[in-house]
Amino acid sequence: MSPDAPWAETDELRVAKRSNPQIKSYVRPEEAAEKGVKAVLSHDDIGRHLTSEMFFSGDRLPGFSDTIEHPDGLVLVDTGMIDRTPAIEDDGEEWHPNPLPDELVSRVAVVVNTHLHFDHCGGNRLFPGIPIHVQRRELADARTEDDYTVREWVDFPGATYVEHDGEAEILPGVRLLPAPGHTAGHQIVVVETDEGPVVLGGDVGDSFEELERGDTPGRQLVLELVAPTYLAHVAEVRVPHLRS
Ligand SMILES: [Zn+2]
């Protein structure tokens, strides 16, 4: 939490923080409404985790999953990779899975897939019975298009997909927005924080240079949000701007 947040010193919040150390900066929605504040989350509630690495002719491409420590439960955005299959390595790419720690996996209450390419959904199998939010179009394409993903990593025993046709608020302050381009069913996650919106952008761009071209509807949307943006394959977080 930033020290100048208007609710920083309320007794109520101090008590809440003591009684639940997991929740660093939660303001109950009713309390927030009274104070005219919509945000229930802080930027510190967003975490990054390296969940895959790909090596190709000397280059390394990291893959990150993001978490949101929401008062209603831990949200995981993209599940990275937990293993390999020969099918993904026949074009010279060398993929290294980097599974999330068990402690984190056990706390996940909600999963979001920005899209279903295998390096974003390879860990979905760790979450049978846990709601996995995805755009309906994305799931349909993953199930029907050739060479789209590793289909067994998408559909597994206990897979519980929640399909969306467009925008959805899945928890207070956590919204899904369709951001097509990289795939037709690609979506981003917008987290409302006390410092404004934060974008978890998945593969809306492989790099900020690519994102800042603004040449897909998804990239245009993210540029219009003018918010700190996380990209799945870039360690740095920044506010992107359209390149002229
Ligand atoms: Zn992708």
Side-chain angles (χ1 to χ4, degrees):
M1 157 174 307
S2 61
D4 58 352
W7 56 83
E9 290 306 324
T10 66
D11 288 333
E12 248 180 13
L13 182 60
R14 273 199 292 273
V15 170
K17 282 161 99 174
R18 260 203 308 277
S19 62
N20 188 349
Q22 298 282 343
I23 298 172
K24 291 189 287 276
S25 59
Y26 179 46
V27 179
R28 285 179 296 112
E30 321 84 80
E31 186 189 351
E34 274 166 31
K35 294 171 188 291
V37 176
K38 269 171 66 189
V40 297
L41 296 163
S42 115
H43 203 147
D44 293 342
D45 295 321
I46 299 171
R48 294 222 95 176
H49 313 272
L50 181 73
T51 46
S52 73
E53 289 176 285
M54 190 271 280
F55 297 90
F56 182 75
S57 63
D59 287 333
R60 168 185 175 270
L61 185 74
F64 297 96
S65 299
D66 301 312
T67 47
I68 307 162
E69 295 276 0
H70 194 281
D72 293 344
L74 184 69
V75 181
L76 174 63
V77 180
D78 289 339
T79 59
M81 293 174 68
I82 57 172
D83 57 5
R84 269 181 276 226
T85 176
I88 63 177
E89 297 191 334
D90 52 9
D91 52 4
E93 296 180 346
E94 191 187 317
W95 289 90
H96 291 234
N98 194 36
L100 292 162
D102 292 345
E103 179 279 330
L104 206 136
V105 169
S106 67
R107 290 197 295 117
V108 170
V110 177
V111 174
V112 175
N113 284 130
T114 58
H115 63 301
L116 292 169
H117 284 161
F118 63 78
D119 55 325
H120 293 256
C121 70
N124 282 19
R125 288 162 289 160
L126 298 174
F127 304 101
I130 303 284
I132 303 175
H133 294 263
V134 67
Q135 290 292 319
R136 186 182 310 279
R137 171 69 190 268
E138 183 66 24
L139 188 58
D141 286 349
R143 284 173 170 164
T144 55
E145 293 200 2
D146 291 337
D147 298 325
Y148 194 92
T149 188
V150 177
R151 218 164 275 162
E152 313 85 78
W153 294 359
V154 174
D155 282 310
F156 55 91
T160 309
Y161 285 98
V162 181
E163 300 176 52
H164 297 281
D165 292 306
E167 188 172 340
E169 183 165 36
I170 57 169
L171 289 174
V174 179
R175 283 186 299 146
L176 309 180
L177 297 182
H182 179 72
T183 66
H186 188 280
Q187 63 183 354
I188 59 168
V189 182
V190 178
V191 184
E192 295 299 334
T193 78
D194 51 3
E195 296 168 89
V198 172
V199 173
L200 308 180
D203 278 359
V204 71
D206 271 351
S207 64
F208 280 98
E209 291 68 27
E210 200 178 80
L211 167 60
E212 289 173 342
R213 284 183 216 144
D215 54 355
T216 67
R219 290 174 189 161
Q220 285 163 17
L221 169 68
V222 172
L223 292 171
E224 282 163 15
L225 290 167
V226 197
T229 298
Y230 292 64
L231 297 176
H233 299 295
V234 182
E236 174 201 7
V237 177
R238 68 159 130 120
V239 180
H241 295 286
L242 183 66
R243 297 186 176 223
S244 46

